[in-house]
Amino acid sequence: MSRELTPSQTVGPYFGVSMTPEELTRLVPEGTPDAVVLTGVVTDGEGKPVPEGMIEIWQADREGSYDRAPQGEGEAFTGFGRCHTDDDGLYRFLTLKPGPVPASRGGMQAPHVNMAIFGAGLVKPLRTRVYFSDETEANRTDPVLALVDESRRHLLVADVDGSVASLDIRLQGDGETPFFEL
């Protein structure tokens, strides 16, 4: 009986082959009023770009609802997106800025986008959130963001410049993005 090599339990060198080539980078159609580009670069512990990673996002709509109903005439919001990082580690989504959502113990959570990062060598996806720099007061009172050490919270806050929100993701090392266990 011959023995064949099989991939290990990490996502390993077969990661790119197993993923669908279809990218779901547009959560709203081009030209949607108030659309936001969510972008950034994924880097490893040495600060080098991570090519062939995959980013998934899911989020509420403008009103803070996870109901996937259309947001207006001619507009279809999916609430879910997926894209691969390019050779420079860049990811990019066209989406809406979400509204605040209710917190499990009362109050409200700040507008945020949930994110999962997949890649070679990761046994499980890394899960984090993207908050927005123009939501200072909501961020200050967000119950999930409050769980992160105050000195590291800025690592979850995207810089907002007009219709672009930018957040780089560092997988490990100095400036590592805070990740959540779910």
Side-chain angles (χ1 to χ4, degrees):
M1 177 192 302
S2 69
R3 297 180 110 177
E4 293 182 36
L5 295 177
T6 59
S8 68
Q9 291 183 350
T10 66
V11 180
Y14 304 102
F15 177 73
V17 175
S18 67
M19 297 309 301
T20 173
E22 180 181 351
E23 294 196 333
L24 307 168
T25 62
R26 291 187 185 132
L27 283 69
V28 294
E30 291 285 343
T32 298
D34 301 324
V36 172
V37 173
L38 175 59
T39 188
V41 175
V42 180
T43 57
D44 64 15
E46 296 177 356
K48 295 178 182 174
V50 175
E52 298 181 11
M54 188 186 69
I55 306 293
E56 281 185 357
I57 63 171
W58 60 102
Q59 67 176 80
D61 62 18
R62 288 182 184 128
E63 284 75 40
S65 173
Y66 284 97
D67 179 6
R68 303 296 176 235
Q71 300 294 294
E73 189 173 322
E75 187 177 331
F77 173 70
T78 64
F80 173 81
R82 174 184 289 161
C83 79
H84 292 93
T85 57
D86 67 12
D87 290 342
D88 297 318
L90 182 71
Y91 69 91
R92 182 185 186 280
F93 294 96
L94 181 66
T95 187
L96 300 173
K97 184 176 172 191
V101 297
S104 62
R105 296 187 177 156
M108 298 299 282
Q109 297 178 52
H112 65 276
V113 174
N114 298 294
M115 180 179 281
I117 299 101
F118 300 81
L122 296 175
V123 176
K124 297 179 185 178
L126 300 173
R127 299 186 188 282
T128 193
R129 282 185 167 191
V130 178
Y131 291 89
F132 299 88
S133 63
D134 59 352
E135 294 287 346
T136 306
E137 182 58 26
N139 291 345
R140 188 184 65 72
T141 60
D142 183 87
V144 176
L145 193 55
L147 297 172
V148 177
D149 184 277
E150 191 171 355
S151 67
R152 300 186 68 225
R153 289 180 193 159
H154 71 280
L155 299 169
L156 295 175
V157 180
D159 291 323
V160 176
D161 184 8
S163 63
V164 177
S166 180
L167 182 72
D168 293 341
I169 304 295
R170 180 92 180 233
L171 299 181
Q172 58 183 228
D174 291 337
E176 176 182 317
T177 299
F179 298 108
F180 298 98
E181 291 284 328
L182 297 178

